[in-house]
Amino acid sequence: MPRIEDIRERLTEIKPLGSQQDIVRAGLVRAVDIVEGNIRIRLATPGMPQQTLNVLVADIRRAVGALAGTGQVHVEIEAPTRPSPYGDLGPLPGVRDIVAVSSTKGGVGKSTIAANLALALSHLGQRVGLLDSDIYGPSLPIMFGINEKPAMTSDKRIVPIERYGLKLMSIGFFLDESSPVIWRGPMVMGAVRQFLKDVAWEGLDILLVDMPPGTGDAQLTLVQQVPLAGGVVVTTPQDVATLDVERGIAMFQQVNTPVLGVIENMSDYVCPRCGTHDDIFGSGGADRLAADFGVPVLAKIPLVPELRTAGDSGKPLFLQQPLHPVSRIFLEVAERLLGAIEAGREAASPPTILG
Ligand SMILES: Nc1ncnc2c1ncn2[C@@H]1O[C@H](COP(=O)(O)OP(=O)(O)OP(=O)(O)O)[C@@H](O)[C@H]1O
Ligand SMILES: [Mg+2]
């Protein structure tokens, strides 16, 4: 049987694809032991793409297996540890997955996308909530045509307003349009925390959080309040390749939250009169982003006037025109999103033994 030192020595010769550092120096090797004549190597590989991981495991088995007197070589992958506690709220009771929809810039269509995506997820049989956490510019009341105030439960919790099968909450439900509110930073956080904690969200599969634009402290604090299943970054083609969007992705990575994908909005303009496609904002950025960061492009949504008029009418496009090409795109995004959430859940489950 080889000695543990010999095995470790062999492991120092192995580098993951694209990495300059060997797996021992990089701290990926958590344990090496010999159990009943077989070698067991335990690795921690947070965030490593599956393809790279497969190659790495094959390399390890080949290198260690070549040592004289080796039995079987088992490589175990540790489940990624997620930071905890998140803020101090922890998971929301009765809510399976929380997904943040964010953007680094304002006005890129985050709220429009969150609303239609929520309806598409609901169409797929999910029980969906939508929290408009944009304190400065709440848009949910207009998009869903709501002008009533939420009720309170007997234990002083806020009952979300139900519309089109969704549970909705927005600071806009409490504001008087004629009295502008001046918010200070701590008040913003307080309000958002309250909307997570003091709203009776129970009984949801997915809670979509429409985030305020940007990647500042307020947004970072928000994504740390509760454990997120993931984040979606919305961008426009002219911004997609900029440092801004990288910051948006980095914000989620900082709190160990997977970025489920990027949505490029106002992508390709189809002229309503002549029907020709026109890339008004340039193209290819989302694909570059996917290649550079390993973050998938969930969709490219064209600029279509119907999306805006429906948004202003109180009934989002997905409901008004379910067969509209853009509604079909939202349905695809919803399916992809569910797949990505599921994949994330599997990656976070207990260690799998490869080989
Ligand atoms: N693909 C699209 N085609 C046409 N209009 C769109 C599209 N996406 C969004 N819009 C319109 O653009 C405007 C801004 O969209 P929206 O309010 O969803 O952006 P936002 O990112 O949430 O903005 P904010 O940062 O202010 O919260 C709205 O009038 C909306 O109807
Ligand atoms: Mg918005």
Side-chain angles (χ1 to χ4, degrees), residues 110-112 132 134 137 139 210-211 213:
K110 201 169 1 75
S111 302
T112 306
D132 176 7
D134 195 342
S139 42
D210 178 9
M211 302 262 294

Side-chain angles (χ1 to χ4, degrees), residues 102-115 132 134 136-139 143 210-214 234 264-269 301-312 326 330:
S102 78
S103 70
T104 49
K105 268 198 183 171
V108 298
K110 201 169 1 75
S111 302
T112 306
I113 287 173
D132 176 7
D134 195 342
Y136 301 99
S139 42
M143 282 194 303
D210 178 9
M211 302 262 294
V234 179
E264 191 180 285
N265 189 28
M266 312 187 192
S267 224
D268 181 35
Y269 178 67
I301 298 172
L303 188 78
V304 287
E306 304 91 285
L307 209 45
R308 187 176 47 75
T309 45
D312 292 342
V326 170
F330 282 119

Side-chain angles (χ1 to χ4, degrees), residues 40-44 57 74-78 351-355:
R40 201 186 60 166
I41 297 163
R42 200 174 168 84
L43 299 181
V57 169
H74 296 295
V75 181
E76 293 181 9
I77 311 298
E78 269 183 16
T352 40
I353 299 176
L354 306 177

